[in-house]
mmCIF file of all heavy atoms in Angstrom:
data_model
loop_
_atom_site.group_PDB
_atom_site.id
_atom_site.type_symbol
_atom_site.label_atom_id
_atom_site.label_comp_id
_atom_site.label_asym_id
_atom_site.label_seq_id
_atom_site.Cartn_x
_atom_site.Cartn_y
_atom_site.Cartn_z
ATOM 1 N N GLU A 11 34.299 -24.214 3.840
ATOM 2 C CA GLU A 11 33.823 -23.571 5.050
ATOM 3 C C GLU A 11 33.528 -24.516 6.213
ATOM 4 O O GLU A 11 33.627 -24.137 7.367
ATOM 5 C CB GLU A 11 32.582 -22.729 4.750
ATOM 6 C CG GLU A 11 32.958 -21.353 4.212
ATOM 7 C CD GLU A 11 31.733 -20.628 3.741
ATOM 8 O OE1 GLU A 11 31.215 -20.969 2.652
ATOM 9 O OE2 GLU A 11 31.278 -19.719 4.454
ATOM 10 N N ASN A 12 33.158 -25.738 5.871
ATOM 11 C CA ASN A 12 32.736 -26.613 6.960
ATOM 12 C C ASN A 12 33.835 -27.543 7.464
ATOM 13 O O ASN A 12 33.665 -28.245 8.442
ATOM 14 C CB ASN A 12 31.521 -27.433 6.517
ATOM 15 C CG ASN A 12 30.394 -26.520 6.117
ATOM 16 O OD1 ASN A 12 30.130 -25.550 6.817
ATOM 17 N ND2 ASN A 12 29.765 -26.813 4.993
ATOM 18 N N VAL A 13 34.949 -27.542 6.779
ATOM 19 C CA VAL A 13 36.041 -28.413 7.197
ATOM 20 C C VAL A 13 36.841 -27.700 8.292
ATOM 21 O O VAL A 13 37.166 -26.527 8.179
ATOM 22 C CB VAL A 13 36.967 -28.718 6.004
ATOM 23 C CG1 VAL A 13 38.073 -29.665 6.440
ATOM 24 C CG2 VAL A 13 36.169 -29.288 4.846
ATOM 25 N N GLU A 14 37.151 -28.413 9.338
ATOM 26 C CA GLU A 14 37.934 -27.859 10.443
ATOM 27 C C GLU A 14 39.324 -28.480 10.379
ATOM 28 O O GLU A 14 39.541 -29.592 10.882
ATOM 29 C CB GLU A 14 37.240 -28.172 11.775
ATOM 30 C CG GLU A 14 37.838 -27.517 12.990
ATOM 31 C CD GLU A 14 37.408 -26.067 13.123
ATOM 32 O OE1 GLU A 14 36.242 -25.771 12.735
ATOM 33 O OE2 GLU A 14 38.203 -25.261 13.597
ATOM 34 N N LYS A 15 40.279 -27.787 9.717
ATOM 35 C CA LYS A 15 41.632 -28.326 9.623
ATOM 36 C C LYS A 15 42.509 -27.686 10.687
ATOM 37 O O LYS A 15 42.403 -26.501 10.964
ATOM 38 C CB LYS A 15 42.230 -28.030 8.244
ATOM 39 C CG LYS A 15 41.788 -29.010 7.186
ATOM 40 C CD LYS A 15 42.818 -29.134 6.065
ATOM 41 C CE LYS A 15 42.599 -28.078 5.014
ATOM 42 N NZ LYS A 15 43.527 -28.201 3.872
ATOM 43 N N LYS A 16 43.403 -28.459 11.241
ATOM 44 C CA LYS A 16 44.409 -27.925 12.155
ATOM 45 C C LYS A 16 45.667 -27.618 11.342
ATOM 46 O O LYS A 16 46.056 -28.422 10.494
ATOM 47 C CB LYS A 16 44.741 -28.942 13.268
ATOM 48 C CG LYS A 16 43.615 -29.172 14.254
ATOM 49 C CD LYS A 16 43.461 -27.991 15.194
ATOM 50 C CE LYS A 16 42.114 -28.061 15.912
ATOM 51 N NZ LYS A 16 41.641 -26.754 16.325
ATOM 52 N N PRO A 17 46.284 -26.491 11.592
ATOM 53 C CA PRO A 17 47.503 -26.189 10.860
ATOM 54 C C PRO A 17 48.637 -27.095 11.315
ATOM 55 O O PRO A 17 48.731 -27.431 12.492
ATOM 56 C CB PRO A 17 47.815 -24.743 11.255
ATOM 57 C CG PRO A 17 47.148 -24.562 12.572
ATOM 58 C CD PRO A 17 45.944 -25.449 12.563
ATOM 59 N N LEU A 18 49.445 -27.510 10.347
ATOM 60 C CA LEU A 18 50.639 -28.276 10.701
ATOM 61 C C LEU A 18 51.539 -27.451 11.607
ATOM 62 O O LEU A 18 51.948 -27.876 12.665
ATOM 63 C CB LEU A 18 51.436 -28.613 9.438
ATOM 64 C CG LEU A 18 51.127 -29.894 8.716
ATOM 65 C CD1 LEU A 18 52.273 -30.237 7.785
ATOM 66 C CD2 LEU A 18 50.874 -31.036 9.693
ATOM 67 N N VAL A 19 51.851 -26.240 11.136
ATOM 68 C CA VAL A 19 52.797 -25.397 11.862
ATOM 69 C C VAL A 19 52.248 -23.978 11.942
ATOM 70 O O VAL A 19 52.417 -23.189 11.012
ATOM 71 C CB VAL A 19 54.164 -25.367 11.143
ATOM 72 C CG1 VAL A 19 55.198 -24.635 11.993
ATOM 73 C CG2 VAL A 19 54.645 -26.776 10.828
ATOM 74 N N PRO A 20 51.557 -23.632 13.039
ATOM 75 C CA PRO A 20 51.066 -22.261 13.165
ATOM 76 C C PRO A 20 52.249 -21.303 13.287
ATOM 77 O O PRO A 20 53.342 -21.719 13.689
ATOM 78 C CB PRO A 20 50.265 -22.260 14.473
ATOM 79 C CG PRO A 20 50.344 -23.626 15.036
ATOM 80 C CD PRO A 20 51.299 -24.427 14.239
ATOM 81 N N ARG A 21 52.048 -20.024 12.908
ATOM 82 C CA ARG A 21 53.127 -19.048 13.073
ATOM 83 C C ARG A 21 53.528 -18.972 14.538
ATOM 84 O O ARG A 21 52.674 -18.903 15.415
ATOM 85 C CB ARG A 21 52.662 -17.668 12.622
ATOM 86 C CG ARG A 21 52.608 -17.542 11.137
ATOM 87 C CD ARG A 21 52.243 -16.137 10.701
ATOM 88 N NE ARG A 21 51.976 -16.184 9.261
ATOM 89 C CZ ARG A 21 50.783 -16.399 8.730
ATOM 90 N NH1 ARG A 21 49.732 -16.529 9.499
ATOM 91 N NH2 ARG A 21 50.644 -16.474 7.428
ATOM 92 N N THR A 22 54.840 -18.980 14.780
ATOM 93 C CA THR A 22 55.313 -18.795 16.157
ATOM 94 C C THR A 22 55.143 -17.321 16.523
ATOM 95 O O THR A 22 54.976 -16.460 15.657
ATOM 96 C CB THR A 22 56.807 -19.149 16.287
ATOM 97 O OG1 THR A 22 57.545 -18.232 15.480
ATOM 98 C CG2 THR A 22 57.079 -20.568 15.832
ATOM 99 N N GLN A 23 55.199 -17.034 17.832
ATOM 100 C CA GLN A 23 55.076 -15.645 18.261
ATOM 101 C C GLN A 23 56.210 -14.801 17.673
ATOM 102 O O GLN A 23 56.002 -13.651 17.290
ATOM 103 C CB GLN A 23 55.060 -15.558 19.799
ATOM 104 C CG GLN A 23 54.516 -14.235 20.333
ATOM 105 C CD GLN A 23 53.127 -13.921 19.796
ATOM 106 O OE1 GLN A 23 52.249 -14.758 19.769
ATOM 107 N NE2 GLN A 23 52.935 -12.684 19.308
ATOM 108 N N VAL A 24 57.417 -15.388 17.579
ATOM 109 C CA VAL A 24 58.559 -14.655 16.994
ATOM 110 C C VAL A 24 58.274 -14.289 15.535
ATOM 111 O O VAL A 24 58.492 -13.147 15.115
ATOM 112 C CB VAL A 24 59.856 -15.504 17.098
ATOM 113 C CG1 VAL A 24 60.987 -14.863 16.304
ATOM 114 C CG2 VAL A 24 60.265 -15.672 18.557
ATOM 115 N N GLU A 25 57.772 -15.245 14.777
ATOM 116 C CA GLU A 25 57.440 -14.972 13.371
ATOM 117 C C GLU A 25 56.396 -13.864 13.245
ATOM 118 O O GLU A 25 56.515 -12.959 12.423
ATOM 119 C CB GLU A 25 56.908 -16.239 12.694
ATOM 120 C CG GLU A 25 57.977 -17.234 12.307
ATOM 121 C CD GLU A 25 57.374 -18.455 11.624
ATOM 122 O OE1 GLU A 25 56.453 -19.084 12.210
ATOM 123 O OE2 GLU A 25 57.801 -18.784 10.514
ATOM 124 N N LYS A 26 55.361 -13.971 14.081
ATOM 125 C CA LYS A 26 54.317 -12.937 14.068
ATOM 126 C C LYS A 26 54.901 -11.567 14.401
ATOM 127 O O LYS A 26 54.616 -10.576 13.726
ATOM 128 C CB LYS A 26 53.239 -13.274 15.099
ATOM 129 C CG LYS A 26 52.289 -14.376 14.702
ATOM 130 C CD LYS A 26 51.218 -14.502 15.779
ATOM 131 C CE LYS A 26 50.237 -15.618 15.469
ATOM 132 N NZ LYS A 26 49.168 -15.689 16.464
ATOM 133 N N ASP A 27 55.720 -11.521 15.448
ATOM 134 C CA ASP A 27 56.280 -10.246 15.888
ATOM 135 C C ASP A 27 57.136 -9.618 14.793
ATOM 136 O O ASP A 27 57.064 -8.413 14.562
ATOM 137 C CB ASP A 27 57.119 -10.444 17.163
ATOM 138 C CG ASP A 27 56.231 -10.763 18.370
ATOM 139 O OD1 ASP A 27 54.995 -10.649 18.236
ATOM 140 O OD2 ASP A 27 56.772 -11.140 19.425
#
Side-chain angles (χ1 to χ4, degrees):
Chain A
E11 277 172 285
N12 301 316
V13 182
E14 187 80 34
K15 278 207 274 183
K16 291 286 165 206
L18 270 197
V19 187
R21 284 184 190 91
T22 64
Q23 198 55 46
V24 171
E25 282 181 306
K26 284 185 181 183
D27 290 351

